[in-house]
Amino acid sequence: PIEISLNGTPLRVPEGINIIEACRQAGVYVPTICYHPRLKAVGKCGMCTVDIEGAPEGGVLACSTKVQAGMRIRTDSMPVKARASAAISRLINRIRSRNAIDVAPQASRDFADLMHWASTSGNDHTSHSIQINPKDCVECSRCTRACRDLQGIGVLKLTDSNLAPIQSTEAAGLASSSCISCGQCTFYCPTGAISEVSDFAPLRQAIASGKVIVAQTAPATRVAIGEMFGLEPGTVSTRKMVGALKEAGFHFVFDTNFGADLTIMEEGTELLARLKAGGPFPMITSCCPAWINLCEKLYPDFIPNLSTCKSPQAMLAAVVRTYWAEAIGKQPSDIFLVSVMPCTAKKDEIIRQDLGREGYRDVDMVLTTREVARWMQEQGIREWAAVSEADYDNPMGESSGAGMLFGATGGVMEAALRSAFEMGTGQRLEKLDFQSVRGFQGIKQATIDFDGRPIKVAVVHAAANVRKLLEAVRADPGHLGLHFIEVMACTGGCIGGGGQPKSNDPLVLEKRTRSVYEIDAQKTLRRSHENPSLLNLYSHFLGRPGSHKAHELLHTHYQD
Ligand code: HC0
Ligand code: SF4
């Protein structure tokens, strides 16, 4: 650590951090709109200037200036505040000019129509998952940086147009671009000018028409939803979340973690079959829909490598519509199934051809973690503390710790290794934790000894890293010797999904991840292939993993 002085108070801070982080650590507010700890600082909004003793007048940008030993920083001087308010005023004027468009009551009808048209003319509603309503844009460029730098996609641009400052690089709209619907842009957007496509009307209609209203909740939602109600990132809210869903109109709540266990049975069996047959390698996980979009759009040569398994949300949905519908004596179309997901690309996934049969879709609607919290709030839930806890419904409420791991980067790999090792070698793993595939390194590699046979695996997260790894695999005739790759399009995996609560906490992803591993560690049931409810489903309905019926319901095809 080094010593600095902040507003006259001595302060010890880590070396190499920028001034704005030092101020935050000391609880000193510095206004900014374009800065986010996980994005490259660009000093775009100009609000965060601070004075430094001995430095020229006009100050320095706190977001892009590093602290130095002995630095004497002031955030509370009149010139600092004057500069910040000038920058904020410029921004407010620009937004107001766009929204001025609220015309006087005496205006003529055609003038009002023109203004309304102008203020919505830049809207982009071409995508199934992501929408742009640029009227609310504050031109901070956080979305463009997320898309370009974190994801390596780069399909958003800032323009000079005051009415449509943020646009897709494709004139025909986002849907025609290489957008993978990951939603990272929506997570970083401070205002909601770019957001998930959101419409509660079908849910309201389903409730009004007396359907059986069912939810399933993804692994990563339970360690994040509390943030929407003011709790610390990483607070485990599993039973609260189920209780809140019940209070908010859902009759049954199932756990996507059960679907994750089911995926492991199918995907582990597929891996073992490929190991026996000698390929095709590397097998690549298929549960991240933004990755599937990326693969189909930009890496179609990897389609044969994709696991044929549907994702856990899709597998669980297929079981709800068939096995469970019959068990409760209902027609599949009597059920309205909502997937509560940390992800915006799941909205793309549910309209894929294989996710439905005979005139209905398996999943009716995807709500992101942010949206479901808004739905709960609309239904009158304000205080998280006042919500009664509840348990998942069975049989799709029982799940293993391995299923929980799906929510973090490396987790699908770890869950698959636990089961594939034990199913393939007939031996019992002594140590269930595979530390080598955990953590935030962009590309992780490990070699696991399957009873004398070395199995080489890689884990990659954040689309920019995915592109790097795939290009390396493509360039090597021996595909780097890899047997199996786990791909997640968002940093940290699903816990960092584009539909998760927005946060400026630099450690938010780490906090959520820690809780994912804690939930697994505290379970007695930590292997997917030992989930009793799942084994029961196989013996009463599906047959063996990889059976004809399993293929019909749980596996899929891809489009190149
Ligand atoms: Fe995920 Fe999933 S783990 S993609 O990250 O595989 O969204 O949380 O629900 O389907 O289980 C997201 C999270 C899921 C699925 C699971 C997978
Ligand atoms: Fe870029 Fe992902 Fe946003 Fe699409 S959803 S614009 S790929 S960040």
Side-chain angles (χ1 to χ4, degrees):
I2 55 172
E3 185 137 331
I4 59 170
S5 144
L6 181 57
N7 297 334
T9 309
L11 187 67
R12 290 179 75 74
V13 293
E15 211 175 330
I17 65 170
N18 53 40
I19 295 175
I20 205 167
E21 284 303 331
C23 292
R24 284 184 179 179
Q25 287 180 15
V28 170
Y29 180 72
V30 175
T32 177
I33 194 97
C34 71
Y35 174 73
H36 190 285
R38 284 195 177 265
L39 297 174
K40 273 186 200 150
V42 288
K44 186 145 190 332
C45 72
M47 292 174 194
C48 72
T49 67
V50 296
D51 285 341
I52 306 236
E53 208 176 274
E57 259 178 57
V60 300
L61 289 164
C63 68
S64 35
T65 309
K66 294 207 183 320
V67 289
Q68 281 172 21
M71 207 178 227
R72 303 181 67 79
I73 304 162
R74 287 222 85 95
T75 67
D76 57 357
S77 72
M78 290 309 287
V80 167
K81 291 183 191 165
R83 287 192 301 265
S85 31
I88 295 168
S89 302
R90 274 195 302 276
L91 177 66
I92 291 175
N93 282 338
R94 251 175 103 73
I95 300 172
R96 207 180 264 156
S97 70
R98 210 179 278 156
N99 288 286
I101 308 208
D102 263 343
V103 293
Q106 290 85 354
S108 70
R109 180 63 199 267
D110 49 352
F111 181 72
D113 286 350
L114 172 70
M115 289 298 111
H116 174 74
W117 181 85
S119 70
T120 54
S121 60
N123 291 5
D124 182 343
H125 290 178
T126 58
S127 156
H128 196 78
S129 304
I130 308 293
Q131 60 185 9
I132 309 178
N133 293 330
K135 195 158 71 65
D136 299 322
C137 178
V138 287
E139 301 167 38
C140 64
S141 80
R142 281 163 47 152
C143 60
T144 59
R145 281 177 280 155
C147 188
R148 186 194 56 213
D149 302 337
L150 300 179
Q151 300 302 71
I153 307 291
V155 293
L156 295 173
K157 64 172 183 198
L158 275 176
T159 74
D160 293 336
S161 157
N162 188 26
L163 282 175
I166 181 73
Q167 295 174 18
S168 156
T169 50
E170 281 299 316
L174 214 45
S176 311
S177 75
S178 301
C179 170
I180 58 172
S181 299
C182 65
Q184 287 298 305
C185 49
T186 71
F187 174 81
Y188 286 100
C189 175
T191 66
I194 187 158
S195 65
E196 66 270 62
V197 173
S198 194
D199 180 12
F200 293 154
L203 176 56
R204 287 202 189 94
Q205 275 159 21
I207 292 173
S209 66
K211 290 204 178 199
V212 183
I213 311 294
V214 183
Q216 62 165 317
T217 64
T221 51
R222 67 207 70 195
V223 297
I225 192 167
E227 293 165 49
M228 295 296 291
F229 294 87
L231 274 67
E232 253 300 284
T235 306
V236 178
S237 297
T238 315
R239 299 183 72 246
K240 282 269 179 193
M241 177 173 69
V242 177
L245 285 166
K246 294 261 164 110
E247 282 179 33
F250 290 87
H251 304 127
F252 295 89
V253 182
F254 293 129
D255 199 348
T256 310
N257 294 18
F258 176 94
D261 282 336
L262 182 52
T263 299
I264 287 301
M265 296 298 281
E266 294 297 320
E267 199 160 340
T269 304
E270 186 182 2
L271 177 65
L272 293 173
R274 288 204 199 192
L275 287 172
K276 207 163 169 191
F281 292 127
M283 183 165 117
I284 309 182
T285 57
S286 55
C287 43
C288 167
W291 150 236
I292 297 299
N293 287 340
L294 179 64
C295 184
E296 288 181 339
K297 284 188 176 187
L298 299 177
Y299 297 91
D301 48 316
F302 281 97
I303 287 178
N305 298 80
L306 287 175
S307 159
T308 61
C309 287
K310 288 183 183 172
S311 75
Q313 86 138 346
M315 287 198 183
L316 187 110
V319 173
V320 164
R321 289 282 173 196
T322 54
Y323 174 75
W324 187 73
E326 201 183 316
I328 61 164
K330 293 280 180 189
Q331 293 300 316
S333 53
D334 294 337
I335 296 166
F336 192 84
L337 177 59
V338 178
S339 297
V340 178
M341 298 277 137
C343 175
T344 49
K346 290 279 173 198
K347 291 179 190 264
D348 280 3
E349 183 180 291
I350 62 168
I351 55 168
R352 295 181 72 88
Q353 220 175 10
D354 292 346
L355 265 76
R357 61 200 69 72
E358 297 151 24
Y360 62 84
R361 288 195 184 134
D362 280 346
V363 181
D364 292 288
M365 180 181 233
V366 165
L367 294 178
T368 63
T369 315
R370 292 193 295 264
E371 283 177 289
V372 84
R374 263 198 285 124
W375 170 261
M376 289 168 178
Q377 284 155 0
E378 240 182 59
Q379 302 307 304
I381 298 170
R382 298 265 181 275
E383 288 286 325
W384 205 231
V387 172
S388 316
E389 300 196 328
D391 287 316
Y392 284 107
D393 290 290
N394 282 319
M396 280 89 79
E398 184 171 36
S399 64
S400 74
M404 182 61 210
L405 295 186
F406 271 57
T409 165
V412 179
M413 179 59 72
E414 183 164 342
L417 289 175
R418 288 181 189 175
S419 288
F421 179 91
E422 295 197 352
M423 296 192 300
T425 65
Q427 296 169 16
R428 189 114 179 122
L429 274 171
E430 276 170 32
K431 236 177 82 264
L432 281 176
D433 295 355
F434 288 84
Q435 293 295 347
S436 51
V437 296
R438 297 186 179 187
F440 277 78
Q441 202 187 317
I443 300 174
K444 294 167 273 188
Q445 295 207 37
T447 304
I448 289 65
D449 182 357
F450 267 46
D451 205 12
R453 181 169 181 193
I455 304 299
K456 206 172 161 196
V457 303
V459 170
V460 61
H461 60 123
N465 296 325
V466 175
R467 302 196 66 170
K468 233 182 276 167
L469 178 64
L470 291 185
E471 268 141 42
V473 171
R474 198 187 251 168
D476 178 25
H479 47 75
L480 306 175
L482 288 168
H483 296 101
F484 191 24
I485 306 178
E486 177 203 294
V487 175
M488 289 288 169
C490 295
T491 303
C494 288
I495 54 98
Q500 290 280 62
K502 301 183 188 193
S503 175
N504 287 328
D505 181 340
L507 293 177
V508 62
L509 302 185
E510 287 81 355
K511 291 174 183 172
R512 292 173 186 164
T513 301
R514 211 173 302 140
S515 300
V516 167
Y517 287 108
E518 257 167 41
I519 293 175
D520 166 49
Q522 280 164 14
K523 286 240 180 193
T524 336
L525 176 61
R526 294 183 69 195
R527 294 161 167 89
S528 299
H529 57 285
E530 292 182 351
N531 179 338
S533 300
L534 185 62
L535 297 175
N536 200 34
L537 177 72
Y538 273 106
S539 59
H540 286 96
F541 183 62
L542 291 168
R544 287 171 301 100
S547 69
H548 181 71
K549 184 138 203 161
H551 267 273
E552 200 178 275
L553 289 176
L554 309 179
H555 291 254
T556 188
H557 305 91
Y558 306 99
Q559 292 132 26
D560 55 17

